[in-house]
Amino acid sequence: MRLALGSDDAGGTATLSAAAACDDRELAPLLSKVAASRQSHLAFAAEVARVARGESNGAHLLSLAPMIKESHRISLCVEILVPLARSAPAPKAIAKPLYILGEAERHLGRWLVLGEVATKSGDHGALDEAKERAEEGPASSRAAWSLVAWALEDVAAQAEGRPRPPPPDTRPTVELVARLSDRPSADRDMTFLFRLAQAKAPAAKPMLEALARPVPLADEIAMRAAMHLARDYGRDDLRRELLAIAQGQRREDQRGFAAAMLWDVGDRDEARNLADELVTSKCLANVVWASLLRAAALRREEAALLCSEPHVRWIHLGWLE
């Protein structure tokens, strides 16, 4: 990492994202140097890393934020802020610069990521704004903002150790869910739907059932919908479909993913037995899922869920973020 940070482009935003999660104090002078770069996006990413590591008070971010172009804001969101939203809370100083980025952000899903990082740090400005827009904003956007407000309230509750809010009554649609993803809307990413399913939102069940129909399950989105229906909504009949995929009755590259889903829905012995076969698969993703299954079984982590959003993105979809 030190060699990458010392290069002309500091290893890019991916390296700076890794530095934000690293506690190696010898990286401090390298990050400080990158934060003074004339390339505003690299400087911003390096300064975010310094704030996350407790090496900066965030003042430099306030001057850099207005200089970030849209294309760089997208890459910063994907490679720096999405991982930061999943990690330990950053210092509160990170919130105000993110609000500056948010004022220029037209994509609601990326706005949500900015808000999650700020809210997790202990600042409720984004949460208050989302609630206000859900109640007083244009009628056409209130449904989306109500979901954003719920998501931020959930982040705040987890960060503060208080009871999580009940799932919302807003019924999701493909268009609405796509808008709330940090991915481009054209990708039709269903991440937010599965977030609702994780919370057992009754309003999410009709859309999940539509995605899991018809049988056999067509793709990873249908498989994930089936997993949530089986685990969170009592659709035990869909366990058979996941088992068929894991046993090799469909595509080979989906077997490990399906076996991990069997683990998550509670069929732990079946999933563990399949892992011994899948660990020798020619498909790398199958090997990774099988290794995670074996490790979870060895640790006897009864509450451990393997098909978390990061695992799905990294292993099955191949997204580097």
Side-chain angles (χ1 to χ4, degrees):
M1 187 182 296
R2 297 174 197 170
L3 289 175
L5 288 174
S7 63
D8 291 340
D9 64 351
T13 49
T15 300
L16 294 168
S17 178
C22 179
D23 59 4
D24 184 354
R25 291 297 150 189
E26 293 188 16
L27 299 181
L30 294 170
L31 288 171
S32 182
K33 182 179 179 180
V34 179
S37 170
R38 282 184 275 182
Q39 299 185 62
S40 59
H41 66 292
L42 290 180
F44 188 92
E47 193 65 10
V48 166
R50 295 183 70 230
V51 171
R53 289 160 51 91
E55 297 166 354
S56 172
N57 63 6
H60 188 37
L61 282 176
L62 289 171
S63 62
L64 290 169
M67 303 166 60
I68 304 300
K69 299 177 181 178
E70 182 178 12
S71 59
H72 290 150
R73 191 170 63 245
I74 293 171
S75 64
L76 286 169
C77 179
V78 171
E79 297 181 8
I80 298 287
L81 298 174
V82 167
L84 196 58
R86 298 179 183 140
S87 62
K92 200 170 183 178
I94 203 169
K96 288 185 178 179
L98 295 185
Y99 292 149
I100 295 175
L101 293 186
E103 289 174 356
E105 184 56 67
R106 295 174 294 177
H107 188 280
L108 192 55
R110 288 194 292 271
W111 191 97
L112 175 57
V113 172
L114 298 171
E116 285 179 309
V117 176
T119 301
K120 202 171 186 178
S121 75
D123 189 296
H124 286 194
L127 173 57
D128 293 340
E129 182 177 347
K131 288 180 176 178
E132 180 181 352
R133 294 194 183 192
E135 295 173 1
E136 302 176 7
S140 61
S141 64
R142 288 182 186 178
W145 281 107
S146 69
L147 292 174
V148 170
W150 166 76
L152 293 179
E153 182 66 43
D154 190 50
V155 169
Q158 292 182 71
E160 296 165 10
R162 53 185 172 84
R164 299 172 70 173
D169 295 328
T170 305
R171 185 166 177 172
T173 64
V174 172
E175 291 74 18
L176 185 54
V177 168
R179 287 181 62 201
L180 293 169
S181 167
D182 55 90
R183 309 295 295 186
S185 297
D187 288 358
R188 289 294 191 259
D189 177 40
M190 296 289 105
T191 296
F192 200 91
L193 173 65
F194 300 130
R195 185 175 191 165
L196 291 169
Q198 182 81 23
K200 298 180 173 62
K205 186 178 180 182
M207 187 172 174
L208 291 168
E209 290 179 329
L211 290 173
R213 191 185 307 118
V215 172
L217 303 172
D219 53 27
E220 69 274 355
I221 293 177
M223 290 168 62
R224 293 186 73 185
M227 180 198 71
H228 281 289
L229 287 168
R231 188 185 74 196
D232 303 318
Y233 296 89
R235 285 286 306 276
D236 288 341
D237 57 302
L238 291 171
R239 294 171 183 257
R240 294 192 299 272
E241 296 304 316
L242 296 175
L243 178 60
I245 297 171
Q247 290 176 334
Q249 298 179 28
R250 306 284 187 270
R251 287 169 40 186
E252 175 67 21
D253 61 348
Q254 293 177 337
R255 293 186 63 196
F257 195 20
M261 290 181 180
L262 287 175
W263 175 276
D264 283 1
V265 301
D267 294 344
R268 302 277 167 101
D269 291 339
E270 188 71 54
R272 176 61 183 85
N273 292 336
L274 286 165
D276 290 336
E277 175 187 350
L278 291 168
V279 79
T280 61
S281 171
K282 294 181 180 180
C283 176
L284 179 59
N286 287 344
V287 176
V288 176
W289 285 118
S291 299
L292 286 176
L293 279 165
R294 288 174 128 189
L298 285 172
R299 292 194 299 265
R300 298 182 179 179
E301 295 177 346
E302 295 302 322
L305 297 178
L306 299 183
C307 296
S308 64
E309 192 62 39
H311 283 171
V312 173
R313 291 185 174 212
W314 296 336
I315 301 170
H316 192 73
L317 300 178
W319 294 349
L320 300 177
E321 51 187 30

